[in-house]
Amino acid sequence: MIQQEGPGWRLAHDASRHGFPFLIGGEFWAVELTAIEVEGLHALLVELDHQHTQIRDQLMEEESITLELEQQEWWGCLDGTRERWGLQVVLQGNEMQRRGLEGAWPAPAAQAFLAALKTVLD
């Protein structure tokens, strides 16, 4: 069992649980996810972080940016400045999977959550 958390975020992985081995959460919410859902979330957030890294040096300190991306069943938004940003995510249900979710992490919880997710999945 891997469990990591900090102010405004939470991540747990229990490989012995079948079906929904991951739990992610924010300050007032949490949801269990399948391994495939977490892999999709990971890919989405890593790409948003990569895009932010590519343009952050072009931003003035007080300038803000919003990046949106849709991959597979996930939609994500990175919103903030060069140094601080938050994340919003939406899992869009489809015919095979009828459930969905919306969640968000403000800065600096978003950066901490993404760092923890990378350590668990990379």
Side-chain angles (χ1 to χ4, degrees):
M1 169 93 167
I2 298 170
Q3 186 165 342
Q4 299 180 35
E5 61 184 283
W9 68 275
R10 187 170 165 201
L11 173 64
H13 177 229
D14 185 351
S16 68
R17 293 198 62 213
H18 298 291
F20 299 96
F22 289 90
L23 180 131
I24 66 168
E27 187 156 354
F28 298 110
W29 64 275
V31 65
E32 293 179 324
L33 298 175
T34 67
I36 291 172
E37 289 168 339
V38 167
E39 289 169 10
L41 175 64
H42 176 258
L44 175 88
L45 297 182
V46 166
E47 180 57 28
L48 281 169
D49 184 44
H50 174 73
Q51 288 181 16
H52 180 261
T53 300
Q54 294 296 310
I55 62 171
R56 68 177 271 162
D57 290 337
Q58 299 171 25
L59 298 173
M60 294 187 294
E61 287 200 30
E62 67 279 354
E63 191 174 10
S64 64
I65 187 165
T66 300
L67 301 170
E68 293 184 31
L69 184 62
E70 194 167 342
Q71 286 184 346
Q72 299 170 351
E73 70 273 11
W74 287 98
W75 172 88
C77 177
L78 182 150
D79 188 38
T81 64
R82 292 172 54 154
E83 303 300 325
R84 295 177 49 88
W85 42 264
L87 292 167
Q88 294 177 292
V89 294
V90 175
L91 174 64
Q92 303 164 3
N94 57 35
E95 299 96 34
M96 302 280 294
Q97 160 194 316
R98 301 230 180 253
R99 69 190 192 111
L101 75 91
E102 292 186 29
W105 299 273
Q111 291 95 330
F113 173 77
L114 181 53
L117 186 60
K118 286 178 178 179
T119 63
V120 170
L121 295 182
D122 287 347

